[in-house]
Amino acid sequence: MNFKWLVCLPFIMTPGVMSLAQEMPVHDACVDILEEDFADDTITLCPSPLPPIEMIQVEGYSESKKEAGEPDCNTFHPDAATVRRYFSKARQISRQDWMHKIIMVSCEAYGRMALQDGRKAEWSVSPSRAALIRIDEGAYQEYFFFCSKADCGFPPFW
């Protein structure tokens, strides 16, 4: 029997090596979705890296544009409970997908939130189910979110 592999065993079983493997991002939890809003393209939704929301505050809503073809923003006024529900179901997407694949509308609700780890953030969400969270404490960070129609097809989202 060949026992040469036993020489490598201490390196294979070293806790430092195992912890590096455990720190690798898990991409199995991400899913690709296709909705009619994406014009035959998919986006990848991944679990949020942010801790749970401790407090959420709605500070305002965008006003309707009176130009032809613009949506009526007066129907999009989610309260704090609705925004919290949205973020509990929304998943993170790449900046590329957020900017190029999601149909953006001029309507939005916006406000502030506190995360359970103590960080404060600003958020905005649109009726097309796209959202952005900005954390300006320490290094500036942006997180982009989307919620599928299956998960967030409740009013006031379109």
Side-chain angles (χ1 to χ4, degrees):
M1 188 175 261
N2 188 345
F3 293 102
K4 291 181 184 176
W5 63 271
L6 287 174
V7 174
C8 297
L9 190 58
F11 298 104
I12 295 170
M13 299 303 290
T14 302
V17 173
M18 291 173 69
S19 66
L20 285 176
Q22 292 167 350
E23 291 174 11
M24 296 290 286
V26 178
H27 295 289
D28 293 340
C30 298
V31 295
D32 291 332
I33 66 164
L34 173 66
E35 290 192 6
E36 68 273 6
D37 298 341
F38 305 149
D40 300 328
D41 207 352
T42 62
I43 62 170
T44 302
L45 302 175
C46 295
S48 171
L50 296 175
I53 297 169
E54 187 172 286
M55 180 277 303
I56 196 152
Q57 186 176 23
V58 177
E59 293 182 342
Y61 310 99
S62 60
E63 294 183 22
S64 269
K65 308 262 192 242
K66 301 298 182 195
E67 301 167 21
E70 288 292 323
D72 181 9
C73 296
N74 295 324
T75 62
F76 186 67
H77 289 157
D79 59 13
T82 303
V83 174
R84 181 183 291 275
R85 180 178 173 200
Y86 166 86
F87 280 114
S88 74
K89 296 176 177 298
R91 308 233 348 196
Q92 186 178 18
I93 63 173
S94 71
R95 177 186 191 102
Q96 178 77 12
D97 282 355
W98 193 80
M99 295 189 71
H100 298 289
K101 293 183 180 179
I102 294 179
I103 297 171
M104 293 297 184
V105 294
S106 59
C107 305
E108 71 175 6
Y110 54 90
R112 297 187 181 276
M113 66 172 57
L115 303 174
Q116 282 187 356
D117 65 2
R119 292 183 291 169
K120 307 274 188 267
E122 294 178 349
W123 60 267
S124 65
V125 64
S126 77
S128 62
R129 303 178 321 280
L132 170 66
I133 294 178
R134 290 186 177 114
I135 300 174
D136 205 5
E137 295 180 9
Y140 180 80
Q141 298 170 316
E142 286 184 327
Y143 297 91
F144 304 91
F145 292 90
F146 183 77
C147 193
S148 69
K149 238 179 219 174
D151 290 330
C152 291
F154 52 87
F157 296 98
W158 302 342

